[in-house]
Amino acid sequence: MSSFLHQLPKVELHLHIEGTLEPELMFELARRNEVTLPFDSVEAVRAAYDFEDLQSFLDLYYQGMNVLFTEADFYDLTWAYLTRCQANNVVHTELFFDPQAHLSRGVALSTQLEGITRACQDAEREMGISSAIILSFLRDMTEEHALETYEAALAYREHFIGIGLDSAEVGNPPEKFARVFDRAREDGFHLVAHAGEEGPASYIRSALDTLGVERIDHGIRCLDDEALVETLIARRIPLTVCPLSNVYLKTVPDMTGHPLPAMIERGLCVTINSDDPAYFGGYMNANYEAVQNAFAFSRDTWVLLTRNAIEAAFVTPARREALYAQLEKATGNP
Ligand SMILES: Nc1ncnc2[nH]cnc12
Ligand SMILES: [Zn+2]
């Protein structure tokens, strides 16, 4: 089964590029940019990855990205992730970046976006991996700051396809960002939001109703609200679930206690993703393996999860057909 999972062509829809910063690259960039890290070795960084909850992770995640300054840094970070994609047989990926977390350190939007985009273009040309970038707002900052950032980002609109919402969820409900999502909808961008990761099912409802999102990132708390589950099924809203992330951030007791099988059983459009793989024990294959060890899914279930991700991807009809064809070739399943 392991080789079946490894060779399955994969589509990743929930990935924070800053969450792919491995400690080795963190040290290299710290040296390059003369930044002093509060750790004296790669092992010490990894030893600190023992999280109590989302906030304890976010504290380290924001600290880690303090080594990113130049376009080359963003290129190297993104290129390292895309080579992991190739090793994991990820053939299409949609990646988040957190512009406000870099703007606040004096790093220009052009630096961030040009570095990430150039790596994506090289990966498409050299490895055949398609990708897209989603600009994510920090929900623990104000809506005014998100709006200002959005306005500034419009100068680079050809670099990103959508907007999202991440960071500390509880106490920062989706409706706080209604105006910026309205603006982005008018401008033709795709809309997604993290909801129901640590926050309640009502945040998922609000992301749908007040932000009009097309996909929900995480969404694992949806099963607490039967009417919401029915809406998600009826509207076929994709949920970008991140199994290892949920275990590492203790939003589930352990992998065997994850609601993933119940979500699939209900017919929700579930996909599997790695979120912040440098911090949560691994990339796509590691997530697939951990889920398989806990639940021993059939091949048909894995094909279904992959088909869901292809359906949920923000790609052209031609690219979607090519992804379905690649899956069929690899599995014999239409
Ligand atoms: N899992 C996550 N939840 C919320 N914000 C994030 N930023 C990076 N990873 C995140
Ligand atoms: Zn996330």
Side-chain angles (χ1 to χ4, degrees):
M1 194 60 179
S2 181
S3 74
F4 172 80
L5 294 180
H6 285 203
Q7 57 83 45
L8 207 54
K10 299 172 191 76
V11 167
E12 175 143 70
L13 303 175
H14 183 159
L15 181 283
H16 302 265
I17 196 62
E18 299 90 345
T20 68
L21 179 59
E22 294 287 347
E24 290 79 5
L25 183 58
M26 192 187 290
F27 270 89
E28 190 184 323
L29 297 182
R31 252 192 316 273
R32 190 192 283 178
N33 295 319
E34 299 177 355
V35 174
T36 307
L37 290 174
F39 301 102
D40 53 21
S41 67
V42 159
E43 294 70 35
V45 179
R46 288 218 165 84
Y49 295 171
D50 180 19
F51 311 114
E52 275 314 302
D53 53 16
L54 175 58
Q55 189 58 55
S56 61
F57 155 69
L58 290 171
D59 292 344
L60 271 178
Y61 167 82
Y62 293 123
Q63 185 183 79
M65 65 179 81
N66 284 339
V67 298
L68 296 165
F69 284 102
T70 66
E71 189 195 316
D73 300 341
F74 284 88
Y75 179 94
D76 291 348
L77 174 70
T78 309
W79 181 256
Y81 163 63
L82 290 162
T83 60
R84 298 279 195 156
C85 283
Q86 187 182 41
N88 284 250
N89 215 6
V90 172
V91 292
H92 174 76
T93 178
E94 293 176 14
L95 47 97
F96 294 119
F97 79 116
D98 288 329
Q100 292 159 294
H102 309 301
L103 284 168
S104 63
R105 300 182 296 106
V107 181
L109 264 168
S110 57
T111 304
Q112 306 174 35
L113 270 168
E114 281 161 17
I116 299 169
T117 300
R118 200 159 52 78
C120 290
Q121 288 168 343
D122 287 355
E124 175 124 43
R125 198 180 52 250
E126 293 178 28
M127 303 191 282
I129 298 169
S130 56
S131 56
I133 298 170
I134 299 176
L135 186 157
S136 197
F137 297 109
L138 303 183
R139 67 201 307 154
D140 40 1
M141 298 188 77
T142 63
E143 188 186 29
E144 283 64 36
H145 199 275
L147 271 168
E148 271 171 36
T149 306
Y150 176 74
E151 303 278 353
L154 285 178
Y156 309 96
R157 60 182 304 157
E158 73 281 6
H159 288 276
F160 61 100
I161 58 151
I163 65 160
L165 195 58
D166 65 7
S167 201
E169 186 180 12
V170 175
N172 296 295
E175 60 270 21
K176 180 175 160 188
F177 295 90
R179 283 185 303 156
V180 67
F181 276 70
D182 283 347
R183 277 289 317 275
R185 184 183 314 102
E186 283 164 22
D187 293 339
F189 287 105
H190 287 293
L191 308 176
V192 300
H194 283 51
E197 178 186 19
E198 270 190 351
S202 62
Y203 283 23
I204 302 173
R205 171 64 73 184
S206 173
L208 293 176
D209 292 352
T210 68
L211 302 186
V213 298
E214 298 158 80
R215 297 196 304 236
I216 296 286
D217 295 312
H218 293 293
I220 58 170
R221 299 285 300 274
C222 70
L223 296 178
D224 296 345
D225 179 342
E226 178 54 28
L228 172 65
V229 171
E230 284 166 21
T231 302
L232 292 167
I233 294 169
R235 292 181 49 196
R236 216 153 157 77
I237 301 287
L239 305 172
T240 63
V241 174
C242 306
L244 279 175
S245 163
N246 297 148
V247 173
Y248 271 72
L249 300 188
K250 301 190 168 65
T251 55
V252 296
D254 58 23
M255 194 60 91
T256 58
H258 198 286
L260 181 65
M263 295 170 83
I264 296 170
E265 189 65 28
R266 286 302 314 269
L268 287 158
C269 184
V270 177
T271 70
I272 292 186
N273 308 273
S274 71
D275 205 9
D276 301 286
Y279 292 87
F280 300 150
Y283 292 75
M284 284 288 263
N285 283 348
N287 274 273
Y288 279 44
E289 289 276 354
V291 166
Q292 186 62 5
N293 288 339
F295 302 119
F297 286 156
S298 67
R299 289 184 180 211
D300 284 353
T301 297
W302 285 107
V303 170
L304 172 79
L305 289 164
T306 310
R307 289 188 64 84
N308 286 348
I310 296 172
E311 177 188 339
F314 296 142
V315 290
T316 61
R319 181 63 183 147
R320 200 182 317 282
E321 281 315 307
L323 291 168
Y324 280 131
Q326 212 169 339
L327 175 64
E328 186 177 349
K329 189 157 171 250
T331 64
N333 284 68

